[in-house]
Amino acid sequence: MATLTFYGGVNEVGGNKILVKDKDTRILLDFGMPFSLRDQYYSIPFLSPRNERDLLELGILPHIKGVYKFDSGESMIDAVFLSHSHMDHSAYISFLKREIPVYCGETTATILKTYSKIHLPSLEFNFEGLKFKTFRTGDHIKVGNIEVEPIHVDHSVPGSYGFIIYTSSGTIVYTGDFRRHGSRPELTEDFINKSSEAHPDVVICESTNMTSVEVSSEHEVMKKLNYIIQRTSGLVMANFASADIDRLRSFYESARMNNRKLVITLRQAYLLHELSKDPHLSLPKLDSESLLIFRKEKKRYFQWEKEAMNMGRIVNSREISSRQKEMVLACSFYDFNELREIKPDAGSCYILSSSEPFNEEMEIDFNRLINWLEHYGLPQFHIHVSGHINPLYLRESLQSINPKKIFPIHGVHPKLFSVFMRDVKSKIILPEKEKKYRM
Ligand SMILES: [Zn+2]
Ligand SMILES: [Zn+2]
């Protein structure tokens, strides 16, 4: 009899860690960092975990036998399958025994290896020595008694997958994080169709978006960006996640349409360079006329930063300052010291293109951001679309897949979910952390 145990992603957004056991085969679906649980105890960098025992003590790292590199016993896990590269699904592979193979999409492996190069290793982020094995949509990966079929989905990072998992006592569908309103909704359609055809016994689905849901699409985001860039007489500044390639493309296209150039960070340039080796992703070219790379003034540059400087045309603060009308500058809050030299012209503006602050620490950072914008006279726009499926589509998808059981995870409104879905034919089970469920 196959069983399921949820070690993370229960009553929290992210931190997914799901153990699937079938006879003597054990695989894990995702192994992410539980950001909100961690924030309940720590305030990085002032109060940080010192070692893995601190994390185990507080339940931030679950007690699972034969998983961790610091655990002297032999490995009891046959494989880990990552749905995508977001840290809330992948970061804690840092702690895995190095002999456990980590299966993921090609793009996920590229992103994680790139992060590994551009971040200094730390307790909770260290991919040194991990064995990545890559898959593509439609592959069937056999691990002992279990077979996993990854299928692409649309999400806010390229290379995201859902899984159909065949066990000796039934079929499981795991959605990972997904949506139907990004730039590739057909990928999610594919996943939902294949999942329906598989007549699964169990669906484990994300349930992030249940309150303050906005109805929008990546296409609409681009229209709004275009509206703002067209009407701005000074510099346009923008903040978006480095690995949100759809968003980068939206900014790039709207900059181009308005005869401006998109200026990206060294980090974005480096990632874009690595991802451009994959012909399946249609990405802006680093040698394009409309793309520039921003070099901040620093005493010393890391090796990867020096490499990134040779990947395209470089600009510094002075040049940006003198050509403000021609540029859309991607800059995070941590680049704001540059504003003294850039001196945004009258009529410049700032576009926040990531999620709104949803916890206390983000709220504090947001207040700081507003102070800077106040100082430089920059109105702030919020143009964003979520990486997660809206509840109406989720309901439709679950009705069409029609499994025997549904386990909602990756959300903080399980009760709302179960009442909203109470008329679907499937039995809805709100999982408890670390409890074993039979298929
Ligand atoms: Zn997530
Ligand atoms: Zn995600």
Side-chain angles (χ1 to χ4, degrees):
M1 177 60 89
T3 60
L4 286 172
T5 314
F6 299 84
Y7 287 100
V10 175
N11 290 320
E12 60 181 335
V13 173
N16 290 15
K17 296 175 206 72
I18 305 153
L19 177 71
V20 183
K21 182 172 177 286
D22 189 5
K23 295 171 194 151
D24 55 354
T25 306
R26 293 180 185 82
I27 64 165
L28 283 159
L29 308 176
D30 286 334
F31 213 66
M33 184 190 285
F35 284 100
S36 49
L37 179 60
R38 181 168 163 267
D39 281 351
Q40 285 175 25
Y41 298 97
Y42 291 114
S43 171
I44 317 284
F46 310 109
L47 178 60
S48 308
R50 294 163 304 178
N51 53 45
E52 55 278 345
R53 281 181 300 278
D54 287 348
L55 294 168
L56 284 168
E57 165 73 23
L58 298 167
I60 297 170
L61 203 55
H63 290 272
I64 314 175
K65 248 179 119 181
V67 172
Y68 301 121
K69 61 178 178 186
F70 51 82
D71 166 353
S72 58
E74 65 178 281
S75 168
M76 291 172 74
I77 297 293
D78 299 289
V80 175
F81 285 82
L82 298 183
S83 61
H84 62 291
S85 59
H86 281 155
M87 290 295 124
D88 62 322
H89 295 254
S90 66
Y92 277 5
I93 56 172
S94 303
F95 295 105
L96 294 181
K97 282 187 186 296
R98 287 338 193 212
E99 63 263 38
I100 302 173
V102 177
Y103 288 90
C104 61
E106 302 262 0
T107 306
T108 298
T110 305
I111 295 174
L112 295 180
K113 284 178 192 165
T114 305
Y115 284 170
S116 191
K117 227 172 185 175
I118 66 184
H119 288 285
L120 294 170
S122 63
L123 170 69
E124 294 171 281
F125 185 87
N126 183 356
F127 297 165
E128 195 68 49
L130 284 167
K131 279 196 215 59
F132 290 106
K133 294 194 166 195
T134 59
F135 54 63
R136 285 222 171 261
T137 279
D139 284 352
H140 284 254
I141 302 142
K142 188 121 178 71
V143 179
N145 299 311
I146 299 173
E147 192 173 302
V148 179
E149 182 184 359
I151 296 164
H152 50 212
V153 293
D154 183 65
H155 182 43
S156 48
V157 65
S160 297
Y161 290 83
F163 299 127
I164 303 178
I165 302 144
Y166 305 93
T167 73
S168 63
S169 43
T171 301
I172 304 163
V173 164
Y174 172 53
T175 66
D177 288 351
F178 70 150
R179 63 177 174 186
R180 278 163 84 176
H181 55 254
S183 64
R184 305 288 307 276
E186 72 279 10
L187 304 186
T188 300
E189 301 296 336
D190 254 10
F191 171 69
I192 292 166
N193 291 337
K194 295 221 168 79
S195 298
S196 308
E197 286 162 19
H199 302 293
D201 299 86
V202 167
V203 170
I204 303 166
C205 67
E206 71 133 304
S207 59
T208 318
N209 267 340
M210 287 291 145
T211 59
S212 308
V213 184
E214 278 184 55
V215 178
S216 185
S217 64
E218 193 60 41
H219 182 69
E220 259 179 64
V221 163
M222 202 163 101
K223 272 181 22 198
K224 290 177 189 172
L225 295 180
N226 190 36
Y227 172 92
I228 295 169
I229 297 171
Q230 217 171 46
R231 284 162 182 80
T232 302
S233 60
L235 179 66
V236 177
M237 287 189 285
N239 179 322
F240 53 94
S242 310
D244 189 345
I245 299 298
D246 283 352
R247 193 56 46 81
L248 188 140
R249 202 186 294 111
S250 298
F251 271 101
Y252 173 76
E253 292 300 338
S254 22
R256 245 162 47 125
M257 281 190 283
N258 292 287
N259 297 316
R260 288 190 184 233
K261 296 175 199 315
L262 177 64
V263 186
I264 57 174
T265 60
L266 289 173
R267 194 188 149 89
Q268 285 164 331
Y270 197 92
L271 184 61
L272 208 53
H273 180 262
E274 294 302 298
L275 289 173
S276 66
K277 294 170 188 163
D278 184 344
H280 293 82
L281 298 168
S282 70
L283 302 166
K285 299 250 180 306
L286 276 160
D287 58 3
S288 147
E289 287 267 314
S290 308
L291 205 62
L292 298 170
I293 304 170
F294 181 31
R295 185 183 58 206
K296 286 204 275 186
E297 277 325 309
K298 298 208 294 185
K299 286 220 174 69
R300 242 200 229 141
Y301 294 94
F302 291 111
Q303 183 54 34
W304 71 266
E305 290 180 309
K306 289 182 195 158
E307 287 170 40
M309 285 176 211
N310 291 318
M311 289 170 181
R313 271 170 270 250
I314 293 288
V315 279
N316 58 25
S317 301
R318 257 193 337 266
E319 290 166 77
I320 294 172
S321 180
S322 62
R323 297 163 61 194
Q324 300 194 22
K325 284 186 188 58
E326 297 165 40
M327 314 238 176
V328 173
L329 172 64
C331 78
S332 84
F333 179 56
Y334 306 104
D335 300 321
F336 273 20
N337 274 328
E338 303 298 312
L339 290 181
R340 193 167 53 82
E341 191 149 12
I342 294 174
K343 295 187 194 68
D345 287 339
S348 297
C349 68
Y350 184 84
I351 304 172
L352 181 64
S353 197
S354 51
S355 61
E356 274 183 272
F358 53 78
N359 62 37
E360 207 178 328
E361 254 156 79
M362 286 173 85
E363 196 72 53
I364 295 167
D365 265 355
F366 184 74
N367 292 338
R368 289 196 187 107
L369 167 75
I370 298 299
N371 292 337
W372 282 86
L373 300 181
E374 185 94 46
H375 182 84
Y376 285 104
L378 302 164
Q380 177 243 324
F381 294 86
H382 186 226
I383 312 288
H384 184 54
V385 60
S386 164
H388 303 281
I389 195 156
N390 91 39
L392 298 171
Y393 275 147
L394 181 58
R395 205 178 126 88
E396 274 175 35
S397 308
L398 292 172
Q399 277 170 325
S400 116
I401 300 173
N402 190 27
K404 293 196 188 89
K405 297 174 189 166
I406 297 170
F407 291 88
I409 59 164
H410 199 287
V412 289
H413 298 286
K415 171 102 189 300
L416 190 163
F417 175 97
S418 65
V419 180
F420 178 58
M421 304 277 184
R422 68 186 182 280
D423 62 334
V424 302
K425 286 192 205 122
S426 322
K427 181 175 179 198
I428 293 165
I429 303 170
L430 305 184
E432 283 172 45
K433 213 166 169 176
E434 307 199 0
K435 183 173 162 181
K436 197 188 274 183
Y437 294 90
R438 293 153 75 94
M439 283 281 296

